[in-house]
Amino acid sequence: MNEITGDLNGAGKRFAILVTRFNSLVTEQLVAGAKDCLLRHGVAEGDIDLYRVPGAWELPAATAKVVALGRHDGIVALGCVIRGGTPHFEYVAGEATRGLGVVAREAPMPVSLGVLTTDTVDQALERAGTKAGNKGWDAALSVLEMAELYRRME
């Protein structure tokens, strides 16, 4: 049996981070975690491009545009949608994740999902670097491994 896996060496690879400005108290912590992860795994700071979008609704379209540039080995999509008192949460969170899933399946490079969907601000902050770790770091770690796996599959 031949086993093909990725590794976490980012040296010589280029990555894009897309992040929402909405809920920036949370998303800026996600960016910090993602960037820290990439740098600690050998990605040069100049090989990380940061794109800012207004909110989670805009993430799939912007991610598709970045994919089309063909400049990156992987993309980390970060955002935060917090439930409110209206159905708006379901629409935005559902379409953002669904749209990123479509982009990820069609892209020639990995696209990781780092969009938090929580009931409260406290839950979001816990996932952005306090009690529950940093999901930006986790999303970047996934894209690192998958970028090398994609390369080995070619």
Short mmCIF file of all heavy atoms in Angstrom, two decimals, residues 44-95:
data_model
loop_
_atom_site.label_atom_id
_atom_site.label_comp_id
_atom_site.label_asym_id
_atom_site.label_seq_id
_atom_site.Cartn_x
_atom_site.Cartn_y
_atom_site.Cartn_z
N ALA A 44 7.68 32.38 4.54
CA ALA A 44 8.27 33.71 4.67
C ALA A 44 7.15 34.74 4.77
O ALA A 44 6.11 34.61 4.12
CB ALA A 44 9.15 34.00 3.46
N GLU A 45 7.37 35.77 5.58
CA GLU A 45 6.33 36.79 5.76
C GLU A 45 5.91 37.41 4.43
O GLU A 45 4.74 37.70 4.22
CB GLU A 45 6.79 37.87 6.74
CG GLU A 45 5.68 38.82 7.09
CD GLU A 45 5.85 39.49 8.45
OE1 GLU A 45 6.88 39.28 9.11
OE2 GLU A 45 4.93 40.23 8.83
N GLY A 46 6.85 37.59 3.52
CA GLY A 46 6.54 38.15 2.21
C GLY A 46 5.74 37.22 1.33
O GLY A 46 5.26 37.62 0.25
N ASP A 47 5.58 35.97 1.74
CA ASP A 47 4.80 34.98 0.98
C ASP A 47 3.40 34.80 1.54
O ASP A 47 2.73 33.82 1.25
CB ASP A 47 5.53 33.64 0.93
CG ASP A 47 6.75 33.68 0.03
OD1 ASP A 47 6.78 34.54 -0.90
OD2 ASP A 47 7.68 32.88 0.23
N ILE A 48 2.98 35.74 2.38
CA ILE A 48 1.62 35.73 2.92
C ILE A 48 0.92 37.00 2.44
O ILE A 48 1.38 38.11 2.71
CB ILE A 48 1.62 35.69 4.47
CG1 ILE A 48 2.38 34.47 4.99
CG2 ILE A 48 0.18 35.70 4.99
CD1 ILE A 48 2.63 34.48 6.49
N ASP A 49 -0.17 36.83 1.71
CA ASP A 49 -0.99 37.95 1.27
C ASP A 49 -2.25 38.00 2.10
O ASP A 49 -2.92 36.97 2.28
CB ASP A 49 -1.36 37.80 -0.21
CG ASP A 49 -0.14 37.86 -1.12
OD1 ASP A 49 0.80 38.61 -0.81
OD2 ASP A 49 -0.13 37.15 -2.15
N LEU A 50 -2.60 39.17 2.60
CA LEU A 50 -3.79 39.36 3.43
C LEU A 50 -4.80 40.19 2.66
O LEU A 50 -4.50 41.31 2.25
CB LEU A 50 -3.41 40.05 4.74
CG LEU A 50 -4.55 40.35 5.72
CD1 LEU A 50 -5.20 39.06 6.20
CD2 LEU A 50 -4.04 41.17 6.89
N TYR A 51 -5.98 39.63 2.45
CA TYR A 51 -7.08 40.31 1.77
C TYR A 51 -8.20 40.53 2.79
O TYR A 51 -8.59 39.60 3.49
CB TYR A 51 -7.63 39.45 0.63
CG TYR A 51 -6.64 39.17 -0.47
CD1 TYR A 51 -5.76 38.09 -0.39
CD2 TYR A 51 -6.59 39.98 -1.60
CE1 TYR A 51 -4.86 37.83 -1.40
CE2 TYR A 51 -5.68 39.72 -2.63
CZ TYR A 51 -4.82 38.63 -2.51
OH TYR A 51 -3.93 38.37 -3.53
N ARG A 52 -8.73 41.74 2.83
CA ARG A 52 -9.82 42.06 3.76
C ARG A 52 -11.11 42.25 2.98
O ARG A 52 -11.12 42.93 1.95
CB ARG A 52 -9.49 43.31 4.55
CG ARG A 52 -8.31 43.11 5.48
CD ARG A 52 -8.07 44.32 6.37
NE ARG A 52 -6.87 44.13 7.16
CZ ARG A 52 -6.78 43.42 8.27
NH1 ARG A 52 -7.85 42.84 8.76
NH2 ARG A 52 -5.64 43.31 8.92
N VAL A 53 -12.18 41.64 3.48
CA VAL A 53 -13.50 41.78 2.87
C VAL A 53 -14.46 42.30 3.94
O VAL A 53 -14.20 42.16 5.13
CB VAL A 53 -14.00 40.45 2.26
CG1 VAL A 53 -13.03 39.93 1.21
CG2 VAL A 53 -14.22 39.40 3.33
N PRO A 54 -15.59 42.90 3.52
CA PRO A 54 -16.51 43.45 4.52
C PRO A 54 -17.05 42.42 5.51
O PRO A 54 -17.00 42.64 6.73
CB PRO A 54 -17.64 44.04 3.68
CG PRO A 54 -17.03 44.31 2.35
CD PRO A 54 -16.01 43.23 2.16
N GLY A 55 -17.59 41.30 5.02
CA GLY A 55 -18.20 40.33 5.91
C GLY A 55 -18.15 38.93 5.33
O GLY A 55 -17.61 38.69 4.24
N ALA A 56 -18.74 37.99 6.06
CA ALA A 56 -18.71 36.58 5.65
C ALA A 56 -19.42 36.33 4.33
O ALA A 56 -19.06 35.44 3.58
CB ALA A 56 -19.32 35.71 6.76
N TRP A 57 -20.43 37.13 4.04
CA TRP A 57 -21.17 36.98 2.78
C TRP A 57 -20.23 37.15 1.58
O TRP A 57 -20.36 36.48 0.57
CB TRP A 57 -22.30 38.01 2.72
CG TRP A 57 -23.12 37.93 1.49
CD1 TRP A 57 -22.98 38.68 0.36
CD2 TRP A 57 -24.20 37.04 1.24
NE1 TRP A 57 -23.92 38.31 -0.58
CE2 TRP A 57 -24.68 37.30 -0.05
CE3 TRP A 57 -24.82 36.04 2.00
CZ2 TRP A 57 -25.75 36.62 -0.61
CZ3 TRP A 57 -25.87 35.36 1.45
CH2 TRP A 57 -26.33 35.64 0.15
N GLU A 58 -19.24 38.04 1.70
CA GLU A 58 -18.32 38.34 0.61
C GLU A 58 -17.16 37.36 0.49
O GLU A 58 -16.45 37.35 -0.52
CB GLU A 58 -17.77 39.77 0.77
CG GLU A 58 -18.80 40.85 0.55
CD GLU A 58 -19.72 41.13 1.74
OE1 GLU A 58 -19.39 40.71 2.88
OE2 GLU A 58 -20.78 41.75 1.53
N LEU A 59 -16.95 36.53 1.50
CA LEU A 59 -15.80 35.62 1.48
C LEU A 59 -15.77 34.67 0.28
O LEU A 59 -14.72 34.53 -0.36
CB LEU A 59 -15.74 34.80 2.78
CG LEU A 59 -14.97 35.39 3.93
CD1 LEU A 59 -15.09 34.49 5.16
CD2 LEU A 59 -13.51 35.60 3.59
N PRO A 60 -16.86 33.98 -0.06
CA PRO A 60 -16.77 33.03 -1.18
C PRO A 60 -16.38 33.68 -2.51
O PRO A 60 -15.50 33.17 -3.23
CB PRO A 60 -18.16 32.41 -1.25
CG PRO A 60 -18.71 32.56 0.13
CD PRO A 60 -18.16 33.86 0.62
N ALA A 61 -17.00 34.81 -2.84
CA ALA A 61 -16.69 35.47 -4.11
C ALA A 61 -15.24 35.97 -4.13
O ALA A 61 -14.53 35.79 -5.13
CB ALA A 61 -17.65 36.62 -4.36
N ALA A 62 -14.80 36.58 -3.04
CA ALA A 62 -13.42 37.07 -2.97
C ALA A 62 -12.43 35.91 -3.02
O ALA A 62 -11.37 36.00 -3.67
CB ALA A 62 -13.21 37.89 -1.71
N THR A 63 -12.75 34.81 -2.36
CA THR A 63 -11.88 33.64 -2.39
C THR A 63 -11.77 33.08 -3.80
O THR A 63 -10.67 32.73 -4.26
CB THR A 63 -12.38 32.56 -1.41
OG1 THR A 63 -12.43 33.13 -0.10
CG2 THR A 63 -11.47 31.35 -1.38
N ALA A 64 -12.88 33.04 -4.52
CA ALA A 64 -12.84 32.57 -5.91
C ALA A 64 -11.94 33.47 -6.76
O ALA A 64 -11.20 32.97 -7.62
CB ALA A 64 -14.26 32.53 -6.48
N LYS A 65 -11.98 34.78 -6.53
CA LYS A 65 -11.11 35.70 -7.27
C LYS A 65 -9.64 35.44 -6.95
O LYS A 65 -8.79 35.48 -7.83
CB LYS A 65 -11.46 37.15 -6.94
CG LYS A 65 -12.78 37.61 -7.47
CD LYS A 65 -12.71 37.85 -8.95
CE LYS A 65 -13.98 38.53 -9.43
NZ LYS A 65 -14.01 38.63 -10.88
N VAL A 66 -9.33 35.20 -5.69
CA VAL A 66 -7.95 34.93 -5.30
C VAL A 66 -7.49 33.60 -5.89
O VAL A 66 -6.35 33.49 -6.36
CB VAL A 66 -7.78 34.97 -3.76
CG1 VAL A 66 -6.40 34.51 -3.34
CG2 VAL A 66 -8.05 36.37 -3.24
N VAL A 67 -8.35 32.60 -5.92
CA VAL A 67 -8.02 31.33 -6.58
C VAL A 67 -7.64 31.59 -8.03
O VAL A 67 -6.64 31.06 -8.54
CB VAL A 67 -9.19 30.32 -6.49
CG1 VAL A 67 -8.98 29.16 -7.44
CG2 VAL A 67 -9.35 29.82 -5.06
N ALA A 68 -8.43 32.40 -8.71
CA ALA A 68 -8.21 32.67 -10.13
C ALA A 68 -6.88 33.38 -10.40
O ALA A 68 -6.34 33.27 -11.51
CB ALA A 68 -9.37 33.51 -10.68
N LEU A 69 -6.34 34.08 -9.41
CA LEU A 69 -5.04 34.72 -9.58
C LEU A 69 -3.94 33.70 -9.83
O LEU A 69 -2.95 33.99 -10.50
CB LEU A 69 -4.69 35.56 -8.35
CG LEU A 69 -5.58 36.75 -8.03
CD1 LEU A 69 -5.18 37.36 -6.69
CD2 LEU A 69 -5.52 37.78 -9.14
N GLY A 70 -4.09 32.50 -9.24
CA GLY A 70 -3.11 31.43 -9.42
C GLY A 70 -1.77 31.70 -8.76
O GLY A 70 -0.77 31.11 -9.13
N ARG A 71 -1.72 32.55 -7.76
CA ARG A 71 -0.46 32.94 -7.10
C ARG A 71 -0.15 32.16 -5.83
O ARG A 71 0.92 32.33 -5.26
CB ARG A 71 -0.51 34.41 -6.72
CG ARG A 71 -0.62 35.36 -7.84
CD ARG A 71 -0.59 36.78 -7.30
NE ARG A 71 -1.03 37.70 -8.34
CZ ARG A 71 -1.62 38.84 -8.12
NH1 ARG A 71 -1.87 39.23 -6.89
NH2 ARG A 71 -1.99 39.61 -9.11
N HIS A 72 -1.10 31.37 -5.35
CA HIS A 72 -0.96 30.82 -4.00
C HIS A 72 -0.98 29.29 -4.01
O HIS A 72 -1.54 28.67 -4.89
CB HIS A 72 -2.09 31.36 -3.12
CG HIS A 72 -2.10 32.85 -3.07
ND1 HIS A 72 -2.88 33.61 -3.90
CD2 HIS A 72 -1.39 33.72 -2.30
CE1 HIS A 72 -2.67 34.90 -3.65
NE2 HIS A 72 -1.77 34.99 -2.68
N ASP A 73 -0.37 28.74 -2.96
CA ASP A 73 -0.40 27.30 -2.74
C ASP A 73 -1.56 26.89 -1.86
O ASP A 73 -1.89 25.71 -1.77
CB ASP A 73 0.92 26.84 -2.10
CG ASP A 73 2.09 27.05 -3.03
OD1 ASP A 73 2.17 26.35 -4.05
OD2 ASP A 73 2.91 27.95 -2.76
N GLY A 74 -2.19 27.85 -1.19
CA GLY A 74 -3.33 27.58 -0.34
C GLY A 74 -3.95 28.88 0.15
O GLY A 74 -3.30 29.93 0.14
N ILE A 75 -5.22 28.77 0.56
CA ILE A 75 -5.97 29.94 1.01
C ILE A 75 -6.64 29.63 2.34
O ILE A 75 -7.24 28.57 2.50
CB ILE A 75 -7.04 30.32 -0.04
CG1 ILE A 75 -6.36 30.69 -1.36
CG2 ILE A 75 -7.92 31.45 0.47
CD1 ILE A 75 -7.32 30.91 -2.51
N VAL A 76 -6.53 30.58 3.26
CA VAL A 76 -7.18 30.48 4.56
C VAL A 76 -8.30 31.53 4.60
O VAL A 76 -8.01 32.73 4.49
CB VAL A 76 -6.18 30.75 5.71
CG1 VAL A 76 -6.85 30.62 7.06
CG2 VAL A 76 -4.96 29.83 5.62
N ALA A 77 -9.54 31.10 4.73
CA ALA A 77 -10.68 32.01 4.79
C ALA A 77 -11.14 32.14 6.24
O ALA A 77 -11.48 31.14 6.87
CB ALA A 77 -11.82 31.51 3.92
N LEU A 78 -11.13 33.36 6.76
CA LEU A 78 -11.44 33.61 8.17
C LEU A 78 -12.59 34.58 8.32
O LEU A 78 -12.65 35.60 7.62
CB LEU A 78 -10.21 34.20 8.88
CG LEU A 78 -8.93 33.37 8.84
CD1 LEU A 78 -7.78 34.16 9.44
CD2 LEU A 78 -9.11 32.04 9.55
N GLY A 79 -13.46 34.29 9.25
CA GLY A 79 -14.57 35.19 9.53
C GLY A 79 -15.26 34.78 10.82
O GLY A 79 -14.89 33.79 11.46
N CYS A 80 -16.28 35.54 11.17
CA CYS A 80 -17.02 35.26 12.39
C CYS A 80 -18.45 35.75 12.22
O CYS A 80 -18.68 36.93 11.94
CB CYS A 80 -16.36 35.96 13.57
SG CYS A 80 -17.24 35.75 15.11
N VAL A 81 -19.39 34.83 12.38
CA VAL A 81 -20.81 35.15 12.32
C VAL A 81 -21.41 34.76 13.67
O VAL A 81 -21.32 33.61 14.08
CB VAL A 81 -21.53 34.40 11.17
CG1 VAL A 81 -22.97 34.86 11.04
CG2 VAL A 81 -20.79 34.58 9.84
N ILE A 82 -21.98 35.76 14.35
CA ILE A 82 -22.54 35.54 15.68
C ILE A 82 -24.05 35.62 15.60
O ILE A 82 -24.61 36.56 15.04
CB ILE A 82 -21.99 36.57 16.69
CG1 ILE A 82 -20.45 36.45 16.76
CG2 ILE A 82 -22.60 36.36 18.07
CD1 ILE A 82 -19.76 37.56 17.52
N ARG A 83 -24.71 34.61 16.16
CA ARG A 83 -26.17 34.54 16.12
C ARG A 83 -26.80 35.76 16.78
O ARG A 83 -26.37 36.22 17.81
CB ARG A 83 -26.65 33.27 16.83
CG ARG A 83 -28.16 33.04 16.70
CD ARG A 83 -28.59 31.77 17.39
NE ARG A 83 -27.85 30.59 16.97
CZ ARG A 83 -28.15 29.87 15.87
NH1 ARG A 83 -29.14 30.21 15.09
NH2 ARG A 83 -27.44 28.80 15.58
N GLY A 84 -27.82 36.26 16.16
CA GLY A 84 -28.58 37.38 16.74
C GLY A 84 -30.02 36.94 16.92
O GLY A 84 -30.33 35.74 16.93
N GLY A 85 -30.90 37.89 17.00
CA GLY A 85 -32.30 37.59 17.24
C GLY A 85 -33.13 37.41 15.99
O GLY A 85 -34.35 37.26 16.08
N THR A 86 -32.47 37.42 14.81
CA THR A 86 -33.20 37.27 13.55
C THR A 86 -32.62 36.10 12.76
O THR A 86 -31.54 35.61 13.07
CB THR A 86 -33.10 38.55 12.70
OG1 THR A 86 -31.74 38.69 12.26
CG2 THR A 86 -33.52 39.79 13.50
N PRO A 87 -33.29 35.69 11.69
CA PRO A 87 -32.78 34.59 10.86
C PRO A 87 -31.54 34.96 10.04
O PRO A 87 -30.99 34.11 9.36
CB PRO A 87 -33.95 34.26 9.93
CG PRO A 87 -35.13 34.94 10.47
CD PRO A 87 -34.65 36.06 11.33
N HIS A 88 -31.13 36.20 10.09
CA HIS A 88 -29.98 36.65 9.31
C HIS A 88 -28.76 35.75 9.50
O HIS A 88 -28.03 35.45 8.55
CB HIS A 88 -29.64 38.10 9.71
CG HIS A 88 -28.58 38.73 8.89
ND1 HIS A 88 -27.31 38.94 9.35
CD2 HIS A 88 -28.61 39.20 7.62
CE1 HIS A 88 -26.60 39.51 8.41
NE2 HIS A 88 -27.36 39.69 7.35
N PHE A 89 -28.52 35.29 10.73
CA PHE A 89 -27.38 34.41 11.03
C PHE A 89 -27.38 33.18 10.13
O PHE A 89 -26.36 32.83 9.55
CB PHE A 89 -27.45 33.99 12.51
CG PHE A 89 -26.48 32.90 12.88
CD1 PHE A 89 -25.19 33.22 13.29
CD2 PHE A 89 -26.84 31.55 12.83
CE1 PHE A 89 -24.29 32.23 13.65
CE2 PHE A 89 -25.95 30.56 13.18
CZ PHE A 89 -24.66 30.90 13.59
N GLU A 90 -28.53 32.51 10.04
CA GLU A 90 -28.60 31.28 9.25
C GLU A 90 -28.27 31.54 7.78
O GLU A 90 -27.57 30.76 7.15
CB GLU A 90 -29.98 30.62 9.37
CG GLU A 90 -30.19 29.85 10.67
CD GLU A 90 -30.57 30.74 11.85
OE1 GLU A 90 -30.88 31.93 11.65
OE2 GLU A 90 -30.52 30.24 12.98
N TYR A 91 -28.79 32.64 7.25
CA TYR A 91 -28.54 32.94 5.84
C TYR A 91 -27.07 33.23 5.58
O TYR A 91 -26.48 32.68 4.67
CB TYR A 91 -29.39 34.13 5.39
CG TYR A 91 -30.88 33.88 5.52
CD1 TYR A 91 -31.69 34.79 6.17
CD2 TYR A 91 -31.47 32.73 5.00
CE1 TYR A 91 -33.05 34.57 6.30
CE2 TYR A 91 -32.82 32.50 5.13
CZ TYR A 91 -33.62 33.43 5.78
OH TYR A 91 -34.95 33.20 5.92
N VAL A 92 -26.50 34.10 6.38
CA VAL A 92 -25.11 34.49 6.16
C VAL A 92 -24.16 33.33 6.44
O VAL A 92 -23.29 33.02 5.62
CB VAL A 92 -24.74 35.72 7.00
CG1 VAL A 92 -23.25 36.03 6.90
CG2 VAL A 92 -25.56 36.92 6.55
N ALA A 93 -24.31 32.69 7.59
CA ALA A 93 -23.42 31.58 7.93
C ALA A 93 -23.54 30.44 6.93
O ALA A 93 -22.54 29.88 6.48
CB ALA A 93 -23.71 31.08 9.34
N GLY A 94 -24.78 30.10 6.57
CA GLY A 94 -25.00 29.01 5.63
C GLY A 94 -24.43 29.28 4.26
O GLY A 94 -23.75 28.43 3.68
N GLU A 95 -24.68 30.46 3.74
CA GLU A 95 -24.17 30.78 2.40
C GLU A 95 -22.66 30.96 2.38
O GLU A 95 -22.00 30.60 1.41
CB GLU A 95 -24.87 32.02 1.84
CG GLU A 95 -26.30 31.75 1.44
CD GLU A 95 -26.45 30.61 0.44
OE1 GLU A 95 -25.68 30.54 -0.55
OE2 GLU A 95 -27.35 29.77 0.66
#
